[in-house]
Amino acid sequence: MPIALITLILFSLCLSGQAADQTVPREFEGFAEVAEHRGVIDDPDGYVNLRKGPLLNAPVVTKVKAGEPFSFQRKENEPWCKVKLASGATGWMHGSRIKLFFTRDDLPEKGSDDEIDQQARKQGTNYYEITQAAARGDKKALKKFLSVGSDGAAAEEHVGVTAVVIHLVGDDAFASFLREQPRSFCKNISFGWDLGVVYPFDTEEYFRQHFPKSAKILF
């Protein structure tokens, strides 16, 4: 099953063909073992400047446009993220401008036998089918998906898949779904996200920034 949320990879600190004494910003050091994520910008201007350093006045490398996926790394509690574009250009972007990016390919594969699938089956739920339906915005499936109980590794996996589902559903549809649920249900699902449903970002802060309608109901 694709790893929905965290894919650990090793980043090279020097671009291919770049001379050893050429500038790789000193701030990039120490990112070799930091998890890589995929993101897109979320900014009303429709673009965000990619900068040479983690400062608002650092020189601009290029502009990143809305809908342009990129990979990024973020150290815990650091406001700035190291970004790499599909073109190979690298730089820095403030984390508040980054929204996690997922596609349906990040959902569980049919026939997988991961721990979350096993635990869901014990509860009478076909995890693949319910996840696919939830990601399409089916409210009945979404409620069942968010109600799946899990623990251990399965809980972490379910939280990761939850991030994918919510992003595919979108703020408008998710908020519409939440408005129809009891307050206790909303509290229970947000409480269950303490494992980091939008890692590497803070859950409440991220929702208020990128899912404002849902955040008003959840928090």
Side-chain angles (χ1 to χ4, degrees):
M1 183 178 110
I3 298 177
L5 188 60
I6 306 174
T7 305
L8 294 178
I9 68 168
L10 296 180
F11 256 55
S12 170
L13 295 178
C14 298
L15 298 177
S16 177
Q18 187 179 37
D21 58 350
Q22 214 167 355
T23 58
V24 171
R26 183 173 57 189
E27 294 89 348
F28 275 37
E29 296 175 3
F31 271 87
E33 295 183 359
V34 177
E36 181 188 38
H37 311 271
R38 285 176 299 154
V40 289
I41 67 160
D42 187 6
D43 190 282
D45 293 332
Y47 73 90
V48 172
N49 289 324
L50 186 69
R51 298 186 179 275
K52 285 187 177 181
L55 297 168
L56 288 174
N57 61 354
V60 175
V61 176
T62 187
K63 293 183 184 296
V64 182
K65 298 178 180 179
E68 179 183 353
F70 51 81
S71 61
F72 72 94
Q73 293 171 290
R74 186 191 192 203
K75 286 187 175 181
E76 188 174 5
N77 300 322
E78 290 292 331
W80 289 82
C81 300
K82 176 187 173 184
V83 169
K84 184 175 182 180
L85 305 182
S87 65
T90 58
W92 293 87
M93 187 182 297
H94 197 276
S96 64
R97 294 295 177 262
I98 297 176
K99 184 176 182 179
L100 293 167
F101 176 73
F102 301 105
T103 71
R104 295 191 70 89
D105 290 338
D106 295 305
L107 294 172
E109 295 178 353
K110 189 173 184 179
S112 64
D113 193 34
D114 296 308
E115 286 191 42
I116 184 59
D117 297 89
Q118 297 172 22
Q119 292 191 21
R121 281 198 300 272
K122 292 178 181 178
Q123 300 168 47
T125 298
N126 183 310
Y127 195 73
Y128 170 79
E129 291 181 358
I130 205 68
T131 300
Q132 291 289 326
R136 292 193 297 268
D138 182 299
K139 291 183 178 180
K140 184 177 180 180
L142 190 53
K143 185 167 185 177
K144 191 171 185 179
F145 169 79
L146 292 170
S147 301
V148 171
S150 56
D151 55 27
E156 294 184 11
E157 187 175 351
H158 184 51
V159 167
V161 179
T162 299
V164 180
V165 168
I166 290 173
H167 282 79
L168 293 178
V169 170
D171 188 30
D172 287 340
F174 192 53
S176 175
F177 160 76
L178 291 173
R179 290 189 193 102
E180 299 175 6
Q181 310 309 315
R183 183 62 183 166
S184 58
F185 177 85
C186 297
K187 285 184 176 180
N188 285 338
I189 62 171
S190 60
F191 177 77
W193 292 346
D194 58 355
L195 290 172
V197 70
V198 290
Y199 184 84
F201 301 105
D202 174 79
T203 301
E204 183 172 347
E205 181 180 299
Y206 182 91
F207 267 79
R208 293 194 185 283
Q209 176 75 25
H210 305 294
F211 288 80
K213 295 177 182 179
S214 302
K216 288 180 180 179
I217 304 168
L218 287 169
F219 306 106

